[in-house]
Amino acid sequence: MANELSAYANYELGEAFFEIINKMVIRDGIPFSRIGDFEIVSPSWRKLADKEQKTPDEIKKVDEDYKMEIRDLADSCMIYMAAKCGNKNYNITLEEYKIFLTQTNVDKTAIPNDKTELENYNKRIETQFKKIANHGEHTGDDLIDNKDFAAFIYALDMKSERDENNNFKGFILNGKITPMNYAIAYRELKEEADNMISFKLRQAYKNLFS
């Protein structure tokens, strides 16, 4: 069940989020490099995050404020999604998600007329929906709520960090969604296999709500 939404959440912010990420990919998940990054944090957060030699309290504030801003954005997205698909309780079902996609063209893919192609299209949409709804887990409630979408936004900000030998070290967060990161997630969400976006979604949910 969705928790009570933030008092700072609003339709316009959710609309802006979807409009910008919609422009980040060309069909089939190819990034559109002429679109700039989407800033998911405020200038005040970035100013404190960039400060050198932060106190323990400031380090804690950076973490807490980041999570709060992610949740405000996610709640705004839920308001926008719910308005577009006619949902009343901010728990989006698969059928409502399909309506949302047709209303906004967020998926960037035209619904095919051919029966076989339509079956494949619906399967990919269902896979994408379930990965978000169940935050990367193999099973769940199959409903997208504000926590699930917060994990999705957080996962889009998780960027791989590598050492001088190109060995994976972990993930970094910089408060930005890049066209490349979104394009990769766009493709991986439609893959049935447990992949990097699945892992990121699980880690994001754990980091935000455990």
Side-chain angles (χ1 to χ4, degrees):
M1 295 291 291
N3 292 338
E4 184 176 348
L5 300 186
S6 166
Y8 298 100
N10 61 87
Y11 177 97
E12 290 76 15
L13 179 57
E15 181 180 35
F17 172 84
F18 284 108
E19 285 184 351
I20 292 174
I21 64 169
N22 193 28
K23 295 175 182 176
M24 285 185 172
V25 291
I26 303 171
R27 188 172 178 175
D28 297 327
I30 301 169
F32 185 53
S33 57
R34 294 185 183 180
I35 296 295
D37 300 340
F38 182 86
E39 294 272 352
I40 58 178
V41 292
S42 63
S44 61
W45 180 91
R46 190 164 300 286
K47 181 178 180 181
L48 181 58
D50 290 343
K51 179 183 176 182
E52 297 183 4
Q53 298 180 339
K54 290 185 281 292
T55 66
D57 284 345
E58 288 173 330
I59 293 171
K60 182 180 180 182
K61 181 173 175 57
V62 166
D63 179 63
E64 290 177 346
D65 287 359
Y66 176 88
K67 292 176 179 177
M68 180 183 68
E69 294 194 31
I70 288 283
R71 293 172 190 174
D72 289 345
L73 176 56
D75 289 0
S76 297
C77 290
M78 293 305 299
I79 290 173
Y80 179 72
M81 291 173 70
K84 287 295 182 180
C85 70
N87 176 274
K88 303 295 184 182
N89 61 8
Y90 305 113
N91 288 280
I92 308 295
T93 66
L94 173 59
E95 292 308 311
E96 289 170 334
Y97 185 68
K98 288 179 180 178
I99 294 171
F100 168 71
L101 294 181
T102 60
Q103 290 288 322
T104 60
N105 195 32
V106 166
D107 186 63
K108 305 289 285 187
T109 305
I111 299 175
N113 294 318
D114 178 81
K115 182 178 179 181
T116 301
E117 290 182 3
L118 180 60
E119 288 177 357
N120 290 333
Y121 168 83
N122 284 329
K123 183 61 178 177
R124 291 194 298 271
I125 295 301
E126 183 177 0
T127 298
Q128 173 178 299
F129 170 82
K130 286 189 173 182
K131 285 196 176 187
I132 298 173
N134 302 329
H135 42 270
E137 300 290 352
H138 296 293
T139 58
D141 61 6
D142 291 338
L143 294 169
I144 294 178
D145 64 19
N146 54 343
K147 284 187 173 183
D148 300 321
F149 212 81
F152 175 58
I153 295 170
Y154 189 108
L156 293 177
D157 188 23
M158 294 172 70
K159 299 164 183 69
S160 299
E161 187 176 26
R162 296 183 179 274
D163 62 20
E164 62 277 6
N165 297 315
N166 203 34
N167 295 314
F168 178 71
K169 291 175 59 179
F171 297 105
I172 59 172
L173 301 166
N174 65 359
K176 297 180 181 181
I177 299 173
T178 70
M180 179 59 74
N181 272 66
Y182 182 68
I184 292 171
Y186 176 97
R187 185 191 73 242
E188 291 182 341
L189 282 169
K190 293 178 170 64
E191 298 172 354
E192 289 191 54
D194 191 75
N195 54 19
M196 183 57 75
I197 192 61
S198 307
F199 177 75
K200 285 183 176 182
L201 287 166
R202 289 194 293 270
Q203 290 298 116
Y205 196 89
K206 185 184 299 182
N207 292 349
L208 284 170
F209 303 112
S210 293

